[in-house]
């Protein structure tokens, strides 16, 4: 339901009705006047392009929380990449272990999914995800080296699912180590162990 | 922040007319009372409480700037 037709006694009322049907804000739609007579105006209300819609939504969420965001959206092969930058408040937006960033990601993609079901969105604050990914790759590599030399198992810090995927992906390149997890929930830990098959 | 909760929740539920947010401002904490229509409680809470958790986390981050704590109560 990206588009609705709405009518009202004047233009403002017609748009208002359309917004109420779609349950969005005025900034997220484009409208087109279909017919205009004395007592009735008909409009066609459409949701904006994914890119513009995303930028409006993100800036609304952040400004109503009291931040002053600088939003940049770029397109990559999977979908849209949204990078948020603020002055001095990046740390708050990332949160402990990326908790707030995760929430932003979840809410933004959930709200966008209503109108653009197949769009993939990656939310980032000040390039945090990239830095973290690079760090994880390096760390995984370094630990794998130690494991190979000593032949003993070593544990990584608790990781989120996505981070775990990155580590797994990186370690698939290195032969002689395998990966498994122990524990559940918050205390779920990733263990890197030597793989006997390659000895 | 009240506006934000209202907007997010209205987009998620079936009966947007029944959504009401009440803000109680205290010295050190802000309490939000969110009322939703019958049968919409699950939508606001989400799978394993993910949606509710996400909203609460963002509120906490927003309030951190003012040096306050937030509580979000969801009432059917």
């Amino acid at each position: 339901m990206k588009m609705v037709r709405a009518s009202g006694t004047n233009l403002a009322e017609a748009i208002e009705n359309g917004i109420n049907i779609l349950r969005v804000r005025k900034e997220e739609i484009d409208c087109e006047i279909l017919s205009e007579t004395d007592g009735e105006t008909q409009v066609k209300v459409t949701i904006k392009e994914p890119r513009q819609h995303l930028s409006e939504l993100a800036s609304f969420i952040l400004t109503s929380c009291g931040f002053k965001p600088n939003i940049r959206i770029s397109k990559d092969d999977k979908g849209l990449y949204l990078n948020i930058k603020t002055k001095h408040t990046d740390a708050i937006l990332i949160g402990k272990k990326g908790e707030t960033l995760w929430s932003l990601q979840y809410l933004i993609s959930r709200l966008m999914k209503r109108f653009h079901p197949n769009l993939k969105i990656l939310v980032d604050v000040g390039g945090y995800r990239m830095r973290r990914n690079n760090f994880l790759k390096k760390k995984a590599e370094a630990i794998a080296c130690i494991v190979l030399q000593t032949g003993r198992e070593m544990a990584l810090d608790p990781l989120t699912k996505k981070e775990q995927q990155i580590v797994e992906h990186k370690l698939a390149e290195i032969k002689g180590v395998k990966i498994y997890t122990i524990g559940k929930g918050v205390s779920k830990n990733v263990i890197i162990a030597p793989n006997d098959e390659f000895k | 922040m009240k506006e934000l909760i209202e907007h997010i929740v209205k987009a998620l539920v079936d009966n947007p007319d029944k959504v009401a947010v009440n803000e109680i401002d205290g010295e050190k904490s802000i309490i939000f009372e969110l009322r939703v229509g019958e049968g919409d409680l699950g939508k606001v809470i989400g799978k394993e409480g993910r949606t509710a958790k996400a909203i609460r986390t963002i509120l906490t981050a927003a309030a951190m700037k003012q040096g306050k704590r937030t509580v979000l109560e969801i009432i059917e």
Side-chain angles (χ1 to χ4, degrees):
Chain A
M1 199 173 63
K2 278 186 182 182
M3 185 262 290
V4 289
R5 277 160 207 267
S7 57
T9 48
N10 55 42
L11 184 61
E13 201 184 306
I15 294 174
E16 186 78 35
N17 284 339
I19 289 173
N20 283 340
I21 296 170
L22 286 174
R23 284 181 258 153
V24 290
R25 278 162 57 256
K26 219 177 187 176
E27 287 81 357
E28 294 170 30
I29 49 116
D30 284 326
C31 84
E32 193 183 312
I33 300 166
L34 291 176
S35 66
E36 204 168 9
T37 51
D38 273 349
E40 202 183 17
T41 310
Q42 281 208 330
V43 288
K44 193 170 94 176
V45 177
T46 352
I47 295 288
K48 277 183 180 169
E49 290 290 297
R51 207 181 168 129
Q52 262 185 314
H53 188 192
L54 179 61
S55 125
E56 287 292 348
L57 189 70
S59 66
F60 166 69
I61 290 179
L62 293 169
T63 36
S64 58
C65 284
F67 296 101
K68 285 174 194 145
N70 183 2
I71 289 164
R72 211 176 275 167
I73 297 172
S74 57
K75 213 172 185 176
D76 56 13
D77 48 342
K78 281 180 195 158
L80 292 174
Y81 175 79
L82 169 78
N83 196 359
I84 301 162
K85 264 188 187 169
T86 54
K87 270 187 185 168
H88 314 300
T89 48
D90 274 1
I92 296 177
L93 281 179
I94 293 167
K96 209 173 168 186
K97 300 230 164 183
E99 221 175 37
T100 313
L101 177 59
W102 176 88
S103 300
L104 279 174
Q105 164 89 56
Y106 178 83
L107 278 181
I108 289 175
S109 38
R110 177 114 198 242
L111 292 179
M112 288 291 288
K113 221 173 237 174
R114 288 169 66 213
F115 301 109
H116 317 283
N118 295 322
L119 185 70
K120 285 226 165 83
I121 299 161
L122 189 68
V123 182
D124 200 350
V125 174
Y128 169 77
R129 267 182 211 273
M130 295 232 194
R131 264 184 285 141
R132 178 89 180 147
N133 287 359
N134 287 337
F135 166 74
L136 280 174
K137 277 182 196 166
K138 270 184 194 162
K139 190 172 178 182
E141 217 174 349
I143 290 185
C145 271
I146 299 172
V147 169
L148 281 176
Q149 279 171 8
T150 59
R152 273 163 63 191
E153 297 181 352
M154 274 185 91
L156 280 172
D157 302 328
L159 303 174
T160 64
K161 234 179 194 175
K162 250 191 184 152
E163 290 170 340
Q164 200 180 316
Q165 278 172 4
I166 294 160
V167 172
E168 268 169 29
H169 191 74
K170 182 75 201 168
L171 289 182
E173 296 167 11
I174 304 166
K175 280 183 179 165
V177 287
K178 62 180 178 183
I179 187 169
Y180 67 91
T181 57
I182 52 163
K184 259 184 184 178
V186 192
S187 60
K188 193 174 174 182
N189 239 347
V190 179
I191 310 273
I192 297 176
N195 197 343
D196 301 328
E197 286 168 29
F198 288 95
K199 266 184 182 174
Chain B
M1 279 192 265
K2 191 180 162 187
E3 212 183 33
L4 176 76
I5 302 174
E6 228 167 283
H7 178 72
I8 292 172
V9 173
K10 272 185 182 171
L12 298 174
V13 297
D14 284 335
N15 306 317
D17 308 332
K18 287 183 183 165
V19 173
V21 183
N22 189 16
E23 186 180 338
I24 304 163
D25 217 337
E27 197 179 313
K28 276 186 181 169
S29 61
I30 312 167
I31 301 168
F32 293 99
E33 273 182 356
L34 168 66
R35 268 177 200 283
V36 291
E38 219 171 283
D40 282 336
L41 195 65
K43 288 201 167 110
V44 180
I45 294 171
K47 202 179 183 183
E48 293 179 343
R50 269 181 224 168
T51 313
K53 194 182 159 199
I55 298 174
R56 284 188 179 127
T57 313
I58 288 183
L59 287 178
T60 309
M64 204 186 275
K65 266 193 99 185
Q66 305 166 21
K68 283 184 176 178
R69 288 168 181 274
T70 51
V71 179
L72 175 70
E73 299 227 31
I74 306 168
I75 309 158
E76 188 160 9

